[in-house]
Amino acid sequence: MENPRDMAEHTPRSERKRRDSFGMFDGYDSCSEDSSSSSSSEDSEDEVPSIPASLPIIKNNGQVYTYPDGKAGMATCEMCGMVGVRDAFYSKTKRFCSVSCSRSYSSNSKKASILARLQGKPPTKKAKVLQKQPLMAKLAAYAQYQANQQNQAKSKSVVPVEGFDWGQYICSNNLVGAPVSCFKHVPMGMCWGDIAEGVRVEVLNSDTNLSTKVYWVAGIVKLAGFKGLLRYEGFDNDSSKDFWCNLCIPEVHPVGWCASSGKPLVPPKSIHHKYSNWKAFLVKRLTGAKTLPPDFATKVQENMQYPFKKLMRVEVVDKTHLCRTRVALVEQVIGGRLRLVYEESQDGTDDFWCHMYSPLIHSIGWSRSIGHRFKRSEVTKKMEGQMDAPSQLFLKIKDVDQSGEWFKDGMKLEAIDPLNLSAICVATVRKVLADGYLMIGIDGSEAADGSDWFCYHSTSPSIFPVGFCEINNIELTPPRGYTKLPFKWFDYLREMSSIAAPVKLFNKEVPNHGFRTGMKLEAVDLMEPRLVCVATVTRIVHRLLRIHFDGWEDEYDQWVDCESPDLYPVGWCQLTGYQLQPPATQTTREAPPNVSKQKKKTAQYKGQKKKRKIPVGRRPIGLGGPLRRRSFSGDDEQTPPHYLSHFSGSGRPPTSGVEHARSLNSEASLQLKEETPEMDEFTFSQGISDQESNGSGSYYIRQEP
């Protein structure tokens, strides 16, 4: 059997020229029974919409090559239907394009099966039917097979995970997805460019009777994260064949890919009758339009490579004692998210999930260098292949000058409670570390031994100056047991004989993040960080986002920074192979009749420091069985979600969760240090209340004598 590549060499130059710049073949419209079309419909073609200018522009000289079959000097292969110059054909009779076709023709059954496969109809012996074949069938099929094999070999990590249907969810509710450019830490986040509605791509044509893979041009009608709603060219305002597609998968190509790869462009069967000359239609419709960059697929592959490898050693927060770190080993890397197993874990189940850019992980030796508490590992013998993760792989923290006015022990501030991320609480600086790091404690709920202090950098967007919540109309959670309500900072500072941390020491930078209220995204449930859930941005305060998990009560909302590595665009889970948790349904979130709903806004302490108890009816259902959302205490047994087997040997991560325990003497309060009352009375400058925008807002407190 002759190699298909050799067949390509037999293809005459004139035949190769038959393919125009869009990869179309003359006679392609005869793949359908009805080739009669009204050319009058061409007059109703829409104008090319305005699209950002940085994407490649499709250019064409307007020339359409036509080589009518059956004329002098031309021949049609009676086996595969290829049309070419007669002199280049095989044998004296010039009936076949190659030795392979000549030999195959002798078998009528072979001939019949090939014709039936190509035509999608009963075979016929008439050469006239063969003339209707616009494709080099064998070569195209073989090339497609090779391309599929190469794509699978190159990009195992790009195999999408099917699950929750984002497209139906967005369309049925008329929702908006946050753009990829909002997420700098995800693949293509820094080079998404001007991909927008109106951009054209080449994709598989699913509206065809042909058994071989054929393609057609489609335009982006709507964008939601990585996913685009596509419409085939020629359907105009008809949305009946629209479909959602992840734009980063290997099956999406820039316009011109078919021509350069020898793949056929065939119009959908539903509209094949609309135009008599589809090539002219494409030339008119696509000239001046925008398409994907030619290296788009290459960039996706490059962005899907992650520097962290299995068995790398890191320091990570101890989920049972927030105040210290432990050594852990990288066990899995999925889309930049790391499954870390603590070094002392015997069975590999004592684990912790976080992103590689999380502020919770550090290089080996970090704790000692800044004076942070560290639990020394009792493991004396390292496993083969272990190595310390290079320091350059970790998130670089901004340098700060601690020589001048700086944070001091006992200073008061406001901070997001890491054990109840829906609450911003009254907090205290408990210890000042090196390199700008601080140990923070939540007033009224600290363990006597300080085991639930947690480390924030001074530039962290999760700590705020005194008065931040009041100025921005956010409910501040007072200390547990504090009875003088409503809470007033002035009175509290005087009672505690303490002072507020200076406003100028906090990070007030607000990037132009691009998020808007109501945008959909995929977000990590930081109370159970192995879960990534369907979520919504419900509020924006400067750089702070209020993330709501769809289908769940507001009490499970979380305050997250706009640049958090735990936020992802729509389609991220599908692209990386991570399991997405769908919204809780009405039946799964309804509480039993005997469970009374608590009012959300009350003056009492709201920072849930005890283990979160969820009624059975409220537990979300995942693909792997019932899943329970839980707090850092992690007391409930849980069934983890399923993951693709090619990401790890086990096929799915074991039950874990962030098991930070504030249950250790959570009722015991820590004696506050008595500070010299270098106090002045504070009044708050009433600026714009609750600035929910991208612009910087006023944190500032006016100090009066």
Side-chain angles (χ1 to χ4, degrees):
M1 188 73 179
E2 187 173 345
N3 191 300
R5 295 184 177 178
D6 298 334
M7 292 172 58
E9 295 177 0
H10 288 284
T11 305
R13 179 176 300 178
S14 58
E15 164 58 16
R16 291 195 295 267
K17 293 177 80 173
R18 284 189 67 245
R19 291 172 244 168
D20 62 18
S21 59
F22 298 111
M24 296 187 64
F25 285 76
D26 286 317
Y28 71 96
D29 53 326
S30 62
C31 286
S32 58
E33 285 296 321
D34 185 8
S35 60
S36 60
S37 62
S38 173
S39 59
S40 62
S41 61
E42 296 180 8
D43 299 332
S44 63
E45 294 174 7
D46 298 333
E47 294 294 327
V48 176
S50 175
I51 308 173
S54 64
L55 292 178
I57 297 177
I58 303 167
K59 298 179 180 179
N60 189 272
N61 58 10
Q63 181 178 5
V64 179
Y65 299 99
T66 55
Y67 287 85
D69 184 22
K71 298 246 179 125
M74 302 299 294
T76 299
C77 178
E78 295 184 19
M79 185 61 208
C80 70
M82 190 196 78
V83 180
V85 178
R86 180 180 295 275
D87 292 341
F89 269 45
Y90 176 75
S91 78
K92 293 181 180 180
T93 59
K94 307 299 182 185
R95 296 171 58 194
F96 309 104
C97 65
S98 65
V99 176
S100 175
C101 284
S102 176
R103 292 175 178 173
S104 299
Y105 187 77
S106 60
S107 172
N108 289 332
S109 60
K110 179 71 173 179
K111 175 185 175 184
S113 64
I114 291 177
L115 290 177
R117 185 177 71 252
L118 291 175
Q119 279 294 93
K121 59 185 180 181
T124 174
K125 294 183 179 180
K126 294 181 180 180
K128 184 178 179 181
V129 176
L130 285 169
Q131 292 176 8
K132 289 189 176 184
Q133 297 307 317
L135 314 175
M136 297 167 60
K138 296 178 182 177
L139 181 59
Y142 183 74
Q144 185 64 47
Y145 170 78
Q146 281 188 321
N148 289 342
Q149 292 295 102
Q150 290 174 0
N151 284 335
Q152 291 177 9
K154 270 195 209 170
S155 57
K156 289 186 178 179
S157 60
V158 187
V159 177
V161 172
E162 300 302 330
F164 174 69
D165 188 353
W166 263 117
Q168 182 180 3
Y169 190 63
I170 290 174
C171 287
S172 61
N173 299 284
N174 195 26
L175 305 174
V176 177
V180 175
S181 56
C182 292
F183 309 87
K184 306 302 182 186
H185 57 282
V186 304
M188 305 302 293
M190 299 293 289
C191 51
W192 191 247
D194 293 320
I195 297 176
E197 296 176 6
V199 169
R200 307 304 210 283
V201 295
E202 291 179 353
V203 292
L204 284 170
N205 179 5
S206 59
D207 185 18
T208 179
N209 288 331
L210 298 177
S211 58
T212 56
K213 286 186 177 180
V214 294
Y215 297 80
W216 191 242
V217 178
I220 300 176
V221 178
K222 184 181 179 68
L223 262 183
F226 286 119
K227 300 182 78 68
L229 181 62
L230 303 183
R231 181 175 299 169
Y232 290 122
E233 282 296 328
F235 276 89
D236 299 327
N237 295 323
D238 182 2
S239 61
S240 61
K241 296 294 182 179
D242 289 1
F243 60 98
W244 284 91
C245 180
N246 195 310
L247 299 178
C248 291
I249 63 175
E251 289 77 15
V252 178
H253 310 279
V255 172
W257 176 83
C258 284
S260 61
S261 304
K263 301 297 186 296
L265 279 174
V266 177
K269 65 178 182 179
S270 302
I271 57 170
H272 70 83
H273 61 279
K274 290 184 65 175
Y275 303 99
S276 59
N277 191 336
W278 280 98
K279 288 189 293 292
F281 166 81
L282 284 185
V283 170
K284 182 177 180 181
R285 184 63 64 90
L286 298 182
T287 299
K290 303 296 188 302
T291 187
L292 299 177
D295 61 344
F296 185 77
T298 302
K299 285 185 176 179
V300 172
Q301 294 296 330
E302 292 174 352
N303 278 255
M304 295 290 287
Q305 306 302 314
Y306 305 103
F308 281 89
K309 306 300 178 186
K310 187 174 181 178
L311 295 183
M312 280 187 172
R313 300 172 76 242
V314 300
E315 287 186 9
V316 64
V317 64
D318 185 343
K319 62 185 181 183
T320 59
H321 294 79
L322 292 178
C323 64
R324 70 188 184 190
T325 58
R326 296 169 61 184
V327 173
L329 300 175
V330 176
E331 178 62 26
Q332 279 180 278
V333 183
I334 305 179
R337 290 187 60 75
L338 310 178
R339 177 177 172 251
L340 305 173
V341 176
Y342 290 111
E343 194 172 47
E344 295 173 307
S345 176
Q346 298 295 327
D347 56 2
T349 59
D350 190 9
D351 61 0
F352 184 90
W353 280 90
C354 67
H355 194 272
M356 62 183 184
Y357 295 144
S358 170
L360 300 178
I361 62 171
H362 310 276
S363 58
I364 298 297
W366 172 83
S367 298
R368 176 180 293 181
S369 68
I370 70 163
H372 193 282
R373 290 176 63 180
F374 175 75
K375 181 183 179 183
R376 191 175 301 277
S377 174
E378 298 178 359
V379 177
T380 57
K381 185 178 180 180
K382 293 184 180 180
M383 294 172 55
E384 184 178 355
Q386 285 186 14
M387 62 172 292
D388 294 350
S391 58
Q392 63 267 23
L393 301 187
F394 297 87
L395 183 67
K396 184 172 176 57
I397 300 296
K398 181 180 178 182
D399 293 331
V400 294
D401 181 13
Q402 298 184 221
S403 59
E405 186 176 11
W406 193 243
F407 291 94
K408 293 181 174 60
D409 292 358
M411 282 184 171
K412 299 294 183 181
L413 68 161
E414 298 174 2
I416 297 176
D417 183 353
L419 301 188
N420 180 24
L421 294 164
S422 66
I424 300 179
C425 305
V426 174
T428 303
V429 177
R430 290 303 176 196
K431 186 177 181 181
V432 178
L433 308 179
D435 295 342
Y437 287 95
L438 309 169
M439 296 302 295
I440 305 294
I442 298 298
D443 284 20
S445 59
E446 298 168 275
D449 59 355
S451 61
D452 56 355
W453 295 354
F454 47 95
C455 184
Y456 276 144
H457 194 264
S458 59
T459 61
S460 170
S462 297
I463 59 174
F464 317 96
V466 164
F468 172 83
C469 286
E470 181 174 351
I471 291 173
N472 293 285
N473 195 27
I474 299 174
E475 187 174 1
L476 178 67
T477 301
R480 174 176 293 185
Y482 189 75
T483 57
K484 294 184 179 180
L485 303 175
F487 178 84
K488 296 294 183 182
W489 263 116
F490 174 78
D491 296 334
Y492 185 71
L493 290 173
R494 183 168 54 187
E495 292 172 13
M496 295 292 103
S497 299
S498 184
I499 60 174
V503 175
K504 66 181 181 180
L505 300 182
F506 293 86
N507 177 19
K508 294 182 288 294
E509 179 183 355
V510 181
N512 185 21
H513 47 70
F515 286 102
R516 296 291 181 269
T517 302
M519 283 183 171
K520 295 293 178 180
L521 69 164
E522 299 173 3
V524 175
D525 176 6
L526 293 170
M527 306 305 289
E528 181 59 76
R530 63 191 175 86
L531 301 181
V532 178
C533 310
V534 174
T536 307
V537 178
T538 57
R539 190 177 177 191
I540 302 173
V541 182
H542 309 302
R543 64 180 300 148
L544 204 57
L545 308 180
R546 182 80 170 180
I547 301 299
H548 174 77
F549 297 103
D550 290 17
W552 289 90
E553 291 84 354
D554 293 345
E555 64 185 282
Y556 299 118
D557 289 1
Q558 297 178 0
W559 287 109
V560 182
D561 182 61
C562 64
E563 295 182 344
S564 168
D566 295 306
L567 302 178
Y568 309 102
V570 168
W572 178 86
C573 282
Q574 181 194 30
L575 178 65
T576 60
Y578 208 96
Q579 180 64 56
L580 177 65
Q581 301 301 312
T585 62
Q586 184 69 29
T587 55
T588 59
R589 70 170 183 259
E590 285 179 351
N594 59 346
V595 178
S596 60
K597 293 185 178 179
Q598 296 181 354
K599 291 185 179 180
K600 185 66 181 159
K601 296 194 175 183
T602 60
Q604 62 185 3
Y605 176 77
K606 293 169 48 187
Q608 295 170 274
K609 306 307 173 192
K610 295 183 179 180
K611 301 174 183 179
R612 183 184 296 177
K613 301 295 184 181
I614 311 298
V616 175
R618 298 192 185 187
R619 295 168 187 163
I621 304 299
L623 298 180
L627 294 170
R628 307 176 189 174
R629 297 173 59 86
R630 62 179 180 180
S631 67
F632 288 99
S633 55
D635 59 328
D636 294 330
E637 288 295 327
Q638 302 209 2
T639 304
H642 291 295
Y643 292 82
L644 292 183
S645 59
H646 63 255
F647 288 112
S648 70
S650 62
R652 67 179 189 178
T655 301
S656 60
V658 182
E659 299 175 351
H660 292 159
R662 182 161 284 159
S663 56
L664 300 172
N665 299 326
S666 60
E667 300 297 333
S669 61
L670 186 67
Q671 296 298 323
L672 300 176
K673 295 182 179 179
E674 294 295 333
E675 300 289 340
T676 304
E678 299 177 0
M679 292 183 53
D680 296 304
E681 294 184 358
F682 288 82
T683 57
F684 301 107
S685 60
Q686 299 296 330
I688 299 176
S689 177
D690 191 15
Q691 285 197 358
E692 301 192 357
S693 66
N694 288 344
S696 59
S698 173
Y699 286 7
Y700 303 102
I701 301 171
R702 186 171 65 251
Q703 191 172 5
E704 294 183 352

